[in-house]
Amino acid sequence: MKLAVEGLQQLAALAASGPATRLGLTHIADALRDTLGAEQACFVYGEDQDWATCGDSLCGDDVGTGRTGLWIIQQQAQTQKKPVAFNIRSKRVESFARAAGARGREYVAARIPISESPAEMVILRGPWQEGIDRGLVRLLQAARPSLVLFLERMLNAARVEREREQMTMLANAAEVLTRGEEPREALAGIASAMSSSTGFELVTIVLWDEATQKLGPRIINKGRWEDNSLNQMWTNPPDSRFDVPFTETIRARQPLPSPDLQNDSRNSEKFLEFCRWIMAVSGAMVPVLFQDEPLAAISFASWRPHALPPEEVEFLKGTASRLAVGLKAMQMYRALAESKEQLEAYSKQLRVNTQIEHRLARTDALTGIPNRRYIEEVI
């Protein structure tokens, strides 16, 4: 018990004053491994575009599974709300159970609930096949406040500069969207800026074609689920049920807030099931309007509850209005570019036609021999 208390005190000291870097996190992993008597301790946290892992100094950063496996572990830990035990075989995670008292499991994972997302967790490997002692789970729970403190410090340090760049991009949406011909990358950056400024972790922008009354491509903010199968289902929906919330908010020209996204009766059961898969708790659909002309719709979704009072909905509408200016500028820029191309094509054709008429006026139509006018010009 004395060693455990000393280990927790060491963790608290490192969390409060240790360097807020990956090296500092490695020191935390070493201390946690020794305190719990584990063989390996590895932290998993989210960067902008991917998962990142940081292990102890003995075993390194390889936790034994890939991105999909990490997502499954995260989902299980989020659902059970307590540490979970499992095995990893050939990089596949299997045999989940509550950690306390579990037998035949080699790994334990626990969430580290920082303020921005539920993705952060620690994964431990140890000699626990004969059973995971409940005291070990209580000790892990006792260490969690120190782990939360350190990860908040480390991730906040990297987040400040990133958010400054994203807010600049959102403020200058019109300039960003008219820089190049392909807007998808710019829109993904704007969606990421919206995520940072609004507190909604998942932001999707769907363009709208008023002429055809159809939705265009879906662009999501850069995030950890960007390349997995759920993202593919969301960006390339299998049927129109995933389109309904977007088209409804566009045609109503009004936001559709949803504090309980997983049980909103306005949406199809398939859509609700998808929200449960991605653990989205609250959300809102907001139209992007330029002087009442619909240009797009934005889906805001969060892993944390949002009451979505009127003032928050107005804030989301204000965020959408910034995008509206950028999208309208992009439309006008493209229309101008197309007009310029058409004028250049007309000018080229006119020069060709003039040359043809000049030739025909100086050539005999029957024989093709130069006529009197040509001879007089030459003389």
Side-chain angles (χ1 to χ4, degrees), residues 154-205:
M154 188 182 85
L155 296 179
N156 281 338
R159 189 179 302 131
V160 171
E161 181 61 28
R162 183 179 74 240
E163 288 185 350
R164 181 162 48 246
E165 293 174 358
Q166 290 175 342
M167 292 309 297
T168 301
M169 178 179 291
L170 181 57
N172 301 313
E175 180 185 350
V176 170
L177 288 171
T178 54
R179 281 177 188 165
E181 296 182 358
E182 176 52 59
R184 290 187 70 95
E185 189 65 25
L187 285 171
I190 291 172
S192 298
M194 289 180 174
S195 175
S196 295
S197 63
T198 62
F200 286 83
E201 295 85 4
L202 307 174
V203 175
T204 308
I205 299 172

Side-chain angles (χ1 to χ4, degrees), residues 61-250:
D61 303 336
D62 186 4
V63 76
T65 187
R67 179 186 292 186
T68 301
L70 293 175
W71 178 82
I72 293 171
I73 296 169
Q74 176 204 6
Q75 187 181 50
Q76 288 290 326
Q78 171 81 351
T79 301
Q80 299 198 25
K81 302 189 183 303
K82 288 187 177 181
V84 293
F86 54 94
N87 287 320
I88 298 178
R89 300 284 184 266
S90 301
K91 291 192 173 293
R92 296 175 63 90
V93 293
E94 57 186 32
S95 306
F96 281 97
R98 288 281 183 91
R103 292 179 175 274
R105 270 71 169 189
E106 188 179 8
Y107 290 86
V108 172
R111 289 181 58 233
I112 306 174
I114 69 169
S115 59
E116 186 167 288
S117 81
E120 283 60 43
M121 56 186 170
V122 61
I123 298 177
L124 304 162
R125 176 172 54 81
W128 303 317
Q129 293 284 348
E130 298 302 316
I132 298 173
D133 186 79
R134 296 178 185 276
L136 182 143
V137 176
R138 287 195 293 269
L139 197 59
L140 177 57
Q141 297 282 52
R144 194 159 67 166
S146 296
L147 306 182
V148 170
L149 173 62
F150 184 85
L151 277 175
E152 288 275 14
R153 289 178 56 218
M154 188 182 85
L155 296 179
N156 281 338
R159 189 179 302 131
V160 171
E161 181 61 28
R162 183 179 74 240
E163 288 185 350
R164 181 162 48 246
E165 293 174 358
Q166 290 175 342
M167 292 309 297
T168 301
M169 178 179 291
L170 181 57
N172 301 313
E175 180 185 350
V176 170
L177 288 171
T178 54
R179 281 177 188 165
E181 296 182 358
E182 176 52 59
R184 290 187 70 95
E185 189 65 25
L187 285 171
I190 291 172
S192 298
M194 289 180 174
S195 175
S196 295
S197 63
T198 62
F200 286 83
E201 295 85 4
L202 307 174
V203 175
T204 308
I205 299 172
V206 183
L207 302 180
W208 173 256
D209 188 334
E210 181 68 8
T212 61
Q213 294 284 294
K214 290 183 179 180
L215 295 171
R218 301 185 183 204
I219 299 95
I220 65 171
N221 62 301
K222 298 179 182 297
R224 280 151 270 168
W225 72 308
E226 201 173 2
D227 296 325
N228 66 22
S229 59
L230 291 176
N231 169 57
Q232 294 301 317
M233 183 184 295
W234 180 241
T235 53
N236 299 288
D239 56 58
S240 60
R241 287 175 291 187
F242 284 80
D243 295 338
V244 171
F246 292 102
T247 53
E248 282 187 355
T249 194
I250 288 172

